Amino acid sequence: MFEERSNRPATTAWPLALAIMGLVVYASLYPFRDWRDQGLSPLVFLSAPLPRYWTGFDVGVNLLGYVPVGFLLALSALRSQWPRAVLLATVAASALSLGMESLQAYLPSRVPSNVDFALNSLGAWFGAGLAVALEKRGVIDRWSRFRSRWFTTDARGALVLLTLWPLALLFPASVPLGLGQVVERLETWLSDVLTGTPFLPWLPVRDIELQPLVPAAELLCVALGVWVPCLLAYGVVRAVPRRLVLLGLVMVLGPVFTALSAALSYGPDHAWAWLDGTVCAGLLVGLGLGFLSLRLSLRRTVALGLLALALQLALLNQAPADPYFEQTRQIWEQGRFVRFNGLAQWLGWLWPFAALLYLLPRLPSQDEPVLKSAA
């Protein structure tokens, strides 16, 4: 039994739960400034009268936002063979919600609410119950068997990154599928923080003004944006037919979630406005690169993934943010998308760097050849 458990692939539920909880914390406490103490208990909202005004949007966000938290926590408990998975997951998620609502009492732009707390707890309970129901019906075991057939035993990190990749595309980017463009905004933030201090002269200053990407560079960024998740998947899948399926999945999810981001930002009529000739060519080049790398060994896919990530980040961060993109970003941060801001913005910024940190330790690992057919 010990040998069977040691050979079981590590569950992706726990790291995904931590990631979702971290994003919930960010979304709940954004914008993290102007903290103040009103001299009241942070738990006073629990006994406050029910709010007079609410919208279906707020109800849906508070209810559905905690469903994945409860689901993943319960799934983690089930995979770890802990008893009372629903109770543990609901209590943990409710404690998280209680902490977030209490801290919102110190933020002038946020209003703690007992209704929000109740909806969060209800959503977590529903998600936990869904996980247990799927476990009893054998769905989770079927997924475990599917994962064991398709992926290597150490695929947990790649699966987490691949699951988060479409969500990272939801935050509008200057270049379609171009994640990780952070240097310009980081420089601006550091300049604001260091203003009035003797450390401001230490801040590196660019010798030349940033120039927009030429069409060829934009095409290459789009192609790399498709190729990188393919290589990430190839690094944990050995069979060529299965890699081909994952290539098709990437080619569908990338444009679909980019279109969804455009629809949320500019309206449904503009969902595909970003798909111009340069982007189409970039998608085709990315598809071609995905085909050409189908038969590469695991270590070679890791090496190419690191190279592709480094090249894309270098190109994106040598270009300024598009002014229309900056306007859209402000809409997301100041409008009703503020609750989604933390769920997508940080993913869009940090996903490539997380992928780099995942791939680097895998580079010196023992190489494995690719299989021409699925077992």
Side-chain angles (χ1 to χ4, degrees), residues 129-210:
L130 179 62
V132 172
L134 293 177
E135 174 74 15
K136 289 182 177 180
R137 290 182 175 272
V139 175
I140 306 301
D141 285 336
R142 285 196 290 272
W143 157 249
S144 297
R145 292 193 294 270
F146 170 82
R147 176 184 163 181
S148 298
R149 291 196 307 269
W150 274 61
F151 303 100
T152 60
T153 55
D154 59 344
R156 179 171 67 171
L159 291 176
V160 171
L161 288 168
L162 291 170
T163 302
L164 295 177
W165 177 68
L167 300 178
L169 296 175
L170 286 178
F171 192 77
S174 292
V175 177
L177 296 114
L179 303 177
Q181 190 176 12
V182 299
V183 171
E184 184 182 17
R185 192 166 186 182
L186 182 61
E187 288 177 343
T188 302
W189 176 77
L190 284 175
S191 178
D192 293 339
V193 170
L194 298 177
T195 298
T197 72
F199 302 104
L200 183 60
W202 295 12
L203 187 66
V205 179
R206 297 179 187 264
D207 296 331
I208 58 174
E209 186 178 352
L210 295 177

Side-chain angles (χ1 to χ4, degrees), residues 7 49-50 58 78 87 97 99 117 156 158 177 182 186 193 207 224 231 291 294 324 338 350 358:
N7 292 330
L50 295 178
D58 290 331
L78 290 169
L87 179 62
S97 175
F117 171 65
R156 179 171 67 171
L177 296 114
V182 299
L186 182 61
V193 170
D207 296 331
L224 294 174
L231 292 172
F291 271 114
L294 280 172
Y324 293 104
V338 64
L350 299 181
Y358 167 77

Side-chain angles (χ1 to χ4, degrees), residues 176 218 222 272-283:
E218 183 180 353
V222 174
W272 299 98
W274 55 275
L275 196 60
D276 56 19
T278 301
V279 175
C280 287
L283 291 174

Side-chain angles (χ1 to χ4, degrees), residues 18 31 53 113 175 266:
L18 289 178
Y53 305 103
S113 168
V175 177
Y266 307 109

Side-chain angles (χ1 to χ4, degrees), residues 239-275:
V240 171
R242 292 168 182 167
R243 286 183 172 185
L244 189 60
V245 172
L246 293 173
L247 171 61
L249 193 60
V250 168
M251 294 303 301
V252 170
L253 290 178
V256 166
F257 275 80
T258 303
L260 179 58
S261 173
L264 291 172
S265 303
Y266 307 109
D269 294 338
H270 303 281
W272 299 98
W274 55 275
L275 196 60

Side-chain angles (χ1 to χ4, degrees), residues 3 86 88 127 133 155 183 198 233 249 301 341:
E3 183 178 356
V86 173
L88 285 173
V183 171
L249 193 60
T301 62
N341 181 64

Side-chain angles (χ1 to χ4, degrees), residues 88-109:
L88 285 173
T90 304
V91 169
S94 297
L96 174 65
S97 175
L98 182 63
M100 295 302 98
E101 295 295 328
S102 301
L103 288 174
Q104 284 181 3
Y106 299 99
L107 286 169
S109 60

